[in-house]
Amino acid sequence: MLTQNIEPNAFTFSSILKACPLESGKALHSQALKLGYESDTYVQTALVDVYARHSDIVSAFKLFEIMPERSLVSLTTMITGYTMNGYVQEARVLFDRMEERDVVCWNAMIDGYSQHGRPNEALVLFRQMLQSKVKPNEVTVVAALSACAQVGVLESGRWIHAYVKSNRIQLNKHVGTALIDMYSKSGSLEDARMVFDQMRDKDVITWNSMVVGYAMHGFSLEALQLFNEMCELGLQPTDITFIGILSACANAGLVAEGWDYFHLMDKYRIEPKIDSDPILWGTLLTAYRIHGNVRLAEKIMDFLAEQDFATSGTYVLLSNIYAAGGDWDGVAKVRALMKSSGVDKEPGYSSIEVNNKVHEFLTGDMKHHKSKEIYRMLEEMNKWLEAHGYMPLSDVVLHNLGEVEKQKSLVVHSERLAIACGLISTQPGTTIKIVKNLRVCPDCHAVTKLVSKITGRKIIVRDRNRFHHFVEGSCSCGDFW
């Protein structure tokens, strides 16, 4: 166009900037300045988008600040830029100042919360959107379902599914896959499979979601069968497919099968790769904890500290290794190191959804409005357990306490409080679903098995590693987790 001596106008710049990498965007920015189009609202909005898309949020905001007029589109572009780069709070400030909001800006804010680990705020905003009479679309429900999946709130997820049906939002591969993921992570594998079977337009991501769903629930044979069906249909597995399959083998102790699938990756030209070094080393530390290998754990931890890979999780793992061996000096050393490094331990909590409201508990929590009733139920549970011969596994308490104090600390673990809340808040015979942010401890695992037997309730616990389905005194994990 330039070689033909045709001068670009504002429309030219605003159009071509939509497809630009950063360096080309900077060059076009210079051209726009030379030709006097830098003050055009459409060009400025397109430039904000270019800089934000390539993580130069400072330049994006500088351009946004000097805009003489800020349209709905330019405000939404800046909000999207902020959320895309993790500046969720700054995005919310802009969002709250907007006099007019369309579905796109609502989506940007809801998805921003969902993508950056703030699912509760995403769901609150989704409800506010409904009250504002702005009609959600496919993008909205996918973001809201992702938030439900993170928190594990089945009732809210079911309500969104009902909304999708009643408002005739198409069950395409994006919405369907989000529903499968939500149902799987919220404890209802049956609903996930129902959606999967109803979908006509399924891609490899949809199949992956179902495979991973089976794997995280410990239904390893079903995951492997689905993988075989997927391959028979000619779909090309991805690295996510194999993560799901290998997880299924790991959760069921299928070591030989795991090796077979690992070698099968060569057939599909998928190479093992490292997405996150701290996670890989944390997995290795967990293995050393299981085998009680303190010396190698210390070597790994020294390496992580030197490489600046150490996280609160890896520090806690080393502390737990010391504690399991009764080395309280080692525990104190790790805690002092965490303090000096400014690393905070992630607090363990458990949550339960009752009547579309999430109730969250920390260990020994007394803040719940029904604390008296919950603790009375805990006392009742303790009587049941004692009558059934329960013996506390006090060696899992990784603190230098006496035996009595250890047993007292076990009684008020967060998942027990959540179960007690479920028992007093739901109808007899109904399933209780708990979400825990850390790995469930062996004592709580044993207690939950007994409670499921005594009460005749199915109890589903989603911990950091997987799902546990407790029915009639047994767990779906086969005590292997």
Side-chain angles (χ1 to χ4, degrees), residues 48 60 123 135 149 194 216 245 299 350:
V48 168
L123 292 173
K135 190 174 181 179
M194 179 190 69
M216 73 172 71
I245 287 299
K299 282 190 175 182
S350 299

Side-chain angles (χ1 to χ4, degrees), residues 12 44 76-77 92 185 222 296 303 332 367 393 415 474:
T12 318
Q44 286 181 321
T76 303
T77 301
R92 184 59 191 263
K185 290 179 178 174
E222 288 84 351
L296 281 174
F303 170 79
K367 295 176 184 175
L393 302 174
E415 48 264 68
S474 297

Side-chain angles (χ1 to χ4, degrees), residues 7 10 42 115 150 153 201 205 213 221 225 232 236 247-248 288 290 302 323 339 342 344 347 352 409 416 433 436:
E7 188 173 296
Y42 295 102
Q115 293 297 323
Q150 291 175 54
V153 284
D201 182 20
I205 299 171
L221 296 179
Q225 183 182 342
E232 286 170 7
Q236 183 83 5
S247 297
Y288 292 148
I290 292 167
D302 288 341
K339 189 174 181 180
D344 293 323
I352 180 170
S409 71
R416 293 210 207 176
K433 294 184 175 72
K436 183 173 172 62

Side-chain angles (χ1 to χ4, degrees), residues 97-262:
R97 289 177 183 167
M98 293 176 75
E99 294 179 6
E100 178 192 359
R101 301 187 188 109
D102 64 2
V103 67
V104 180
C105 67
W106 280 99
N107 288 350
M109 199 64 243
I110 292 167
D111 190 56
Y113 278 134
S114 182
Q115 293 297 323
H116 293 282
R118 296 167 70 170
N120 289 321
E121 287 153 293
L123 292 173
V124 167
L125 202 61
F126 174 67
R127 294 186 189 104
Q128 289 176 5
M129 178 184 181
L130 294 172
Q131 291 169 1
S132 73
K133 308 301 182 186
V134 175
K135 190 174 181 179
N137 61 13
E138 171 197 319
V139 177
T140 324
V141 298
V142 168
L145 287 168
S146 173
C148 290
Q150 291 175 54
V151 189
V153 284
L154 183 60
E155 292 175 33
S156 298
R158 278 198 173 126
W159 186 91
I160 295 172
H161 190 182
Y163 182 90
V164 168
K165 290 177 181 177
S166 61
N167 287 273
R168 297 184 179 179
I169 295 173
Q170 186 184 0
L171 187 67
N172 58 24
K173 59 188 176 185
H174 303 295
V175 175
T177 302
L179 280 166
I180 291 167
D181 188 56
M182 180 278 295
Y183 277 127
S184 296
K185 290 179 178 174
S186 302
S188 184
L189 206 53
E190 300 85 358
D191 285 316
R193 184 60 198 243
M194 179 190 69
V195 172
F196 180 82
D197 289 338
Q198 287 174 351
M199 289 175 65
R200 295 179 182 177
D201 182 20
K202 291 195 278 271
D203 61 7
V204 69
I205 299 171
T206 308
W207 284 81
N208 285 349
S209 294
M210 198 66 241
V211 169
V212 170
Y214 276 131
M216 73 172 71
H217 281 267
F219 291 87
S220 301
L221 296 179
E222 288 84 351
L224 302 186
Q225 183 182 342
L226 203 65
F227 173 81
N228 292 334
E229 290 176 21
M230 173 182 169
C231 294
E232 286 170 7
L233 288 170
L235 285 167
Q236 183 83 5
T238 66
D239 50 355
I240 301 299
T241 320
F242 279 99
I243 288 171
I245 287 299
L246 293 171
S247 297
C249 293
N251 285 342
L254 303 174
V255 179
E257 291 86 346
W259 273 114
D260 289 340
Y261 283 107
F262 182 73

Side-chain angles (χ1 to χ4, degrees), residues 407-418:
Q407 291 186 19
K408 285 181 179 178
S409 71
L410 288 172
V411 171
V412 291
H413 271 195
S414 63
E415 48 264 68
R416 293 210 207 176
L417 293 170

